[in-house]
């Protein structure tokens, strides 16, 4: 039993493989499983460990090393309450690691789901030895937004909301292999509003518009873009009641001086207009030769909204434009809007997507 005292308590230090909302510095809790390496029997069954990396992490119930033999550890952060093991065949055992996670539609309720499974065949450390170190890997994809306006565009752009539509909300993991599924849901980014206002004003250099706690943590998956152009284009309402392909909806106003190019103002009342962008995830190798298609686990996708870009050399009159809900091109300015995606595996990688 993990409660049977030996002369050594089980304690951990931690590391995190990639920078994201959870970091080695701010990780304070996770749940630990341990299994006897010899026969896969359970030794620790999901006990919460708390602490800091500097001081080490200890169990809510004190856990001791066995006097002999070795242990295989498996840890989940922020904890087992974030996952479900109710589907057929799911559970955390010595032989199987099967569970599901559903990404909440409420931004603040999403978690940075991580696992650590790097410690196997761990025997009781000798006196004075360092605590074993768990290395956590992120299971989800992080989505954030930046934005800017070309200085030559003469525009003041204010964004009230950014929402990604028609994203699968559930992932199921079996020994580390993910199957995405569930229902298609909509996810609003938490924006870093101007002080005292319900919008963020874009500057002339690319800057974060995502709040520090507003990033989306979503299931890795492939997205098919809403068909906004071509002979088979469909309206938003037809798309959302049919194929439910993906797009970004942005509530905004754009002004040229006192004139509203997008949206309007009557007295003190401002009316924002929603502009839509089809959204497809990156193709295999589009960011890095080793990447598979889609949003990938442990990667941060930085979408940059670029207003006033001149895309006349790269396509027709609709190249780079946002769209109304019926697929009609929305003229924001004399030049077009582009959407740029920079994907980082917590290393800088660049991708540009022109809509």
């Amino acid at each position: 039993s993990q409660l049977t005292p030996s002369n050594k308590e089980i304690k951990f230090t931690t590391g995190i493989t990639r920078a994201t909302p959870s970091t080695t510095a701010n990780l304070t809790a996770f749940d630990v499983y341990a299994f006897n390496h010899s026969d896969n029997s359970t030794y620790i069954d999901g006990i919460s460990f708390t602490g800091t990396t500097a001081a080490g992490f200890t169990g809510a119930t004190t856990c001791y090393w066995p006097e002999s033999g070795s242990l295989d550890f498996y840890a989940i952060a922020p904890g087992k309450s974030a996952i479900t093991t109710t589907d057929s065949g799911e559970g955390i055992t010595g032989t199987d690691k099967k569970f599901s996670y559903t990404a909440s539609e409420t931004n603040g309720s999403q978690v940075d789901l991580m696992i650590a499974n790097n410690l196997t065949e761990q025997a009781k450390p000798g006196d004075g030895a360092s605590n074993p170190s768990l290395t956590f890997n992120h299971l989800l994809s992080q989505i954030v937004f930046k934005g800017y306006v070309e200085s030559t565009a003469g525009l003041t752009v204010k964004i009230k909301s950014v929402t990604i539509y028609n994203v699968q909300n559930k992932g199921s993991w079996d020994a580390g292999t993910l199957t995405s599924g569930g229902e298609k849901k909509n996810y609003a980014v938490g924006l870093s509003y101007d002080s005292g206002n319900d919008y963020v004003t874009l500057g002339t250099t690319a800057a974060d518009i995502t709040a520090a706690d507003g990033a989306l943590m979503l299931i890795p998956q492939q997205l098919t873009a809403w068909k906004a152009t071509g002979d088979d284009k469909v309206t938003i309402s037809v798309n959302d009641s049919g194929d439910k392909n993906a797009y970004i909806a942005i509530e905004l106003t754009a002004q040229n001086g006192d004139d509203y190019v997008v949206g309007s103002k009557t007295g003190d009342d401002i009316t924002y207009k929603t502009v839509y962008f089809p959204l497809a995830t990156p193709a295999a190798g589009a960011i890095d030769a080793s990447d598979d298609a889609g949003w990938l686990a442990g990667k941060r996708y930085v979408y940059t909204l670029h207003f006033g870009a001149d895309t006349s050399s790269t396509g027709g009159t609709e190249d780079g434009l946002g769209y109304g809900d019926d697929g009609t091109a929305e003229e924001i300015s004399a030049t077009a809007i582009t959407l740029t995606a920079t994907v980082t595996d917590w290393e800088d990688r660049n991708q540009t997507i022109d809509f």
Side-chain angles (χ1 to χ4, degrees), residues 223-310:
L223 298 179
T224 300
W226 160 54
K227 298 174 182 177
T229 61
D231 294 338
D232 58 349
K233 72 178 183 179
V234 296
T235 65
I236 287 291
S237 60
V238 170
N239 176 75
D240 288 352
S241 61
D243 292 339
K244 287 192 172 183
N245 290 326
Y247 58 90
I248 300 172
I250 306 168
E251 280 188 288
L252 60 86
T253 61
Q255 295 171 249
N256 189 338
D258 293 331
D259 297 329
Y260 277 77
V261 181
V262 177
S264 61
K265 182 177 182 180
T266 304
D268 293 330
D269 296 328
I270 296 175
T271 301
Y272 291 85
K273 185 174 181 61
T274 303
V275 177
Y276 303 88
F277 293 87
L279 178 65
T281 43
I287 307 301
D288 185 272
S290 64
D291 284 352
D292 293 328
W295 286 340
L296 304 178
K299 294 183 185 288
R300 185 171 67 129
Y301 294 79
V302 184
Y303 289 99
T304 301
L305 305 175
H306 180 192
F307 291 82
D310 183 1

Side-chain angles (χ1 to χ4, degrees), residues 98-167:
K98 299 179 181 180
F99 59 89
S100 299
Y101 171 77
T102 300
S104 172
E105 291 177 85
T106 302
N107 185 290
S109 297
Q110 295 166 13
V111 302
D112 183 4
L113 184 64
M114 300 181 292
I115 63 166
N117 60 358
N118 62 300
L119 295 180
T120 59
E121 295 189 72
Q122 298 290 303
K124 182 178 73 172
D127 291 341
S130 300
N131 296 322
S133 181
L134 290 165
T135 300
F136 282 92
N137 293 283
H138 302 279
L139 296 186
L140 304 179
S141 300
Q142 182 187 167
I143 315 297
V144 298
F145 281 80
K146 292 184 177 182
Y148 71 109
V149 183
E150 284 290 338
S151 59
T152 57
L155 293 174
T156 300
V157 176
K158 298 176 181 178
I159 295 178
K160 184 176 183 180
S161 70
V162 177
T163 304
I164 301 177
Y165 279 75
N166 298 323
V167 176

Side-chain angles (χ1 to χ4, degrees), residues 42-230:
T42 299
Y43 188 79
I44 299 174
D45 192 14
I47 287 180
S48 177
F49 275 62
T50 58
T52 65
T53 297
F57 294 78
T58 56
T61 301
T62 303
C63 299
Y64 296 92
W65 288 94
E67 288 289 2
S68 61
S70 61
L71 299 176
D72 299 333
F73 289 97
Y74 190 84
I76 299 174
K80 62 187 178 183
S81 62
I83 65 170
T84 59
T85 54
T86 55
D87 289 348
S88 177
E90 290 187 335
I92 308 297
T93 70
T95 56
D96 292 305
K97 311 293 187 294
K98 299 179 181 180
F99 59 89
S100 299
Y101 171 77
T102 300
S104 172
E105 291 177 85
T106 302
N107 185 290
S109 297
Q110 295 166 13
V111 302
D112 183 4
L113 184 64
M114 300 181 292
I115 63 166
N117 60 358
N118 62 300
L119 295 180
T120 59
E121 295 189 72
Q122 298 290 303
K124 182 178 73 172
D127 291 341
S130 300
N131 296 322
S133 181
L134 290 165
T135 300
F136 282 92
N137 293 283
H138 302 279
L139 296 186
L140 304 179
S141 300
Q142 182 187 167
I143 315 297
V144 298
F145 281 80
K146 292 184 177 182
Y148 71 109
V149 183
E150 284 290 338
S151 59
T152 57
L155 293 174
T156 300
V157 176
K158 298 176 181 178
I159 295 178
K160 184 176 183 180
S161 70
V162 177
T163 304
I164 301 177
Y165 279 75
N166 298 323
V167 176
Q168 289 179 320
N169 71 336
K170 183 178 180 180
S172 298
W173 283 263
D174 183 350
T177 299
L178 165 66
T179 301
S180 60
E183 300 177 275
K184 290 189 175 182
K185 298 293 185 179
N186 311 323
Y187 293 95
V189 179
L191 297 182
S192 180
Y193 291 135
D194 297 356
S195 179
N197 291 297
D198 62 352
Y199 57 79
V200 55
T201 304
L202 301 187
T204 56
T205 57
D208 288 325
I209 62 172
T210 305
D213 59 353
L216 296 176
M217 303 300 297
L218 302 179
I219 304 297
Q221 61 192 275
Q222 294 186 47
L223 298 179
T224 300
W226 160 54
K227 298 174 182 177
T229 61

